Amino acid sequence: MTFDPQQLGRSKTDLAETLRTLRRRANRTQVWLAQRCKMSQTKLSNIENGRATPSLVDVELLLSALGPPAGIAAEVRTLARLANTEWQGKRVSWRRGIDKRQAELAGLEQKSSAFRYFLPAMATGLLATPEYIRASLTHSPGDTSRTVARKLERQAVLHDSTKRFTFLLTEQAVRWAIAPPQVMAAHIDRLVSLSHLPNVRIGVIPTGATMSRGPMNTFTVYDRRLVTVETFTGRMVFQDPRDVAEHLSLFDAYTRHAHFADSARKLMEEWADAYRS
């Protein structure tokens, strides 16, 4: 499926209008359709007026009850998938204040219990030293001191024993030199230290590991309900179960090629020593 960021915003309105039109063309009332789909009339009204975004299951129930032609049903499914995808542009984040993004991430972390991070290029702020974080923000506009502070505050979540974290980093992600050698060595030392936490798994994939799928994007899976995918210009948020399942499958595939525990620590200690020398 291809789309542009503006299409993501329009799709929710288009989906609401299309579902309302389909019901009226079928000469059905909201009461009848809501009862047929085992949902409240209030929920259906909110869907048809764009106040609520239907899940893909909701859409399938509505299509089954209304029985539109196959071509129209396919269009509705595409709109539904787009409506369950969110685009967050980096320029908009900058205008809002990038520290606000940290508050949003903290909220996601509070509501989730299992986290899977695939990091092919750089380490996430949850794992980083203050110096590494500052270096990673040199391209960001304005005063980034509040963002650094927020990122450091968020690291406390790693010590919440009710949550489980798995971080997969390629060798490049660990060794990519965004700061002077002494800063990089201290940063890698922190990764080694965090790998000892009982609820944190840090896996590294060394250069030369043979894998059929390339590491195209940084992504994070929150529980089994939501995926964020990072790009240079923003991020996409997927809630479609098929998208979540695909990223979970990729994560499992990459995990099979990763080193964990003492094996990972040995590699990272060697990489840190290389910076010290």
Side-chain angles (χ1 to χ4, degrees):
M1 176 183 63
T2 59
F3 51 81
D4 61 65
Q6 290 183 342
Q7 188 180 1
L8 294 180
R10 291 196 307 267
S11 63
K12 294 183 181 182
T13 301
D14 292 345
L15 178 61
E17 292 176 354
T18 302
L19 290 172
R20 184 170 64 249
T21 299
L22 287 177
R23 176 181 60 77
R24 289 173 176 172
R25 285 180 179 173
N27 198 26
R28 298 296 186 179
T29 66
Q30 280 190 348
V31 172
W32 179 91
L33 184 57
Q35 290 177 344
R36 188 70 177 267
C37 297
K38 294 182 171 56
M39 66 176 66
S40 70
Q41 185 182 355
T42 299
K43 177 179 178 178
L44 179 58
S45 176
N46 286 336
I47 289 172
E48 288 192 355
N49 287 286
R51 292 190 294 266
T53 301
S55 69
L56 299 180
V57 173
D58 291 334
V59 169
E60 288 300 328
L61 289 172
L62 293 168
L63 290 174
S64 177
L66 295 172
I72 294 177
E75 291 177 7
V76 171
R77 291 186 181 99
T78 297
L79 286 173
R81 195 173 186 192
L82 285 168
N84 280 276
T85 301
E86 179 183 355
W87 169 258
Q88 299 174 346
K90 187 162 289 185
R91 292 179 182 84
V92 173
S93 294
W94 286 344
R95 286 197 297 271
R96 294 174 57 231
I98 54 179
D99 59 303
K100 287 190 171 77
R101 169 63 181 163
Q102 298 306 307
E104 293 170 356
L105 288 171
L108 265 178
E109 290 156 2
Q110 183 180 13
K111 296 174 183 176
S112 307
S113 59
F115 306 81
R116 298 169 179 84
Y117 293 79
F118 179 62
L119 305 165
M122 288 175 58
T124 176
L126 285 181
L127 300 175
T129 63
E131 295 77 13
Y132 185 98
I133 292 172
R134 285 191 203 90
S136 72
L137 293 171
T138 54
H139 66 285
S140 301
D143 181 8
T144 59
S145 57
R146 289 179 62 186
T147 303
V148 173
R150 290 280 190 133
K151 283 177 176 279
L152 293 174
E153 288 171 6
R154 283 176 48 221
Q155 292 178 354
V157 75
L158 296 176
H159 299 276
D160 185 340
S161 61
T162 66
K163 301 181 185 294
R164 295 289 180 268
F165 298 85
T166 303
F167 298 91
L168 288 184
L169 298 93
T170 64
E171 181 175 342
Q172 173 176 295
V174 177
R175 303 184 69 173
W176 188 269
I178 68 167
Q182 65 271 21
V183 172
M184 292 303 301
H187 165 66
I188 299 173
D189 287 342
R190 173 171 167 77
L191 298 180
V192 172
S193 177
L194 290 173
S195 72
H196 288 282
L197 291 176
N199 62 322
V200 174
R201 297 178 73 217
I202 295 181
V204 295
I205 304 172
T207 300
T210 302
M211 291 179 288
S212 60
R213 297 293 296 270
M216 295 182 67
N217 298 96
T218 293
F219 66 83
T220 306
V221 185
Y222 295 88
D223 296 325
R224 293 179 176 272
R225 61 186 175 83
L226 183 149
V227 179
T228 63
V229 177
E230 304 284 338
T231 73
F232 276 111
T233 56
R235 64 188 59 83
M236 284 179 285
V237 182
F238 295 99
Q239 299 182 70
D240 184 331
R242 293 171 294 183
D243 293 321
V244 176
E246 175 68 14
H247 284 86
L248 285 170
S249 176
L250 279 171
F251 194 87
D252 289 344
Y254 292 138
T255 298
R256 289 193 288 272
H257 295 275
H259 294 250
F260 289 91
D262 288 342
S263 178
R265 286 188 277 270
K266 183 175 183 297
L267 286 170
M268 288 190 286
E269 287 165 357
E270 292 173 357
W271 299 336
D273 288 342
Y275 274 115
R276 292 189 182 92
S277 62

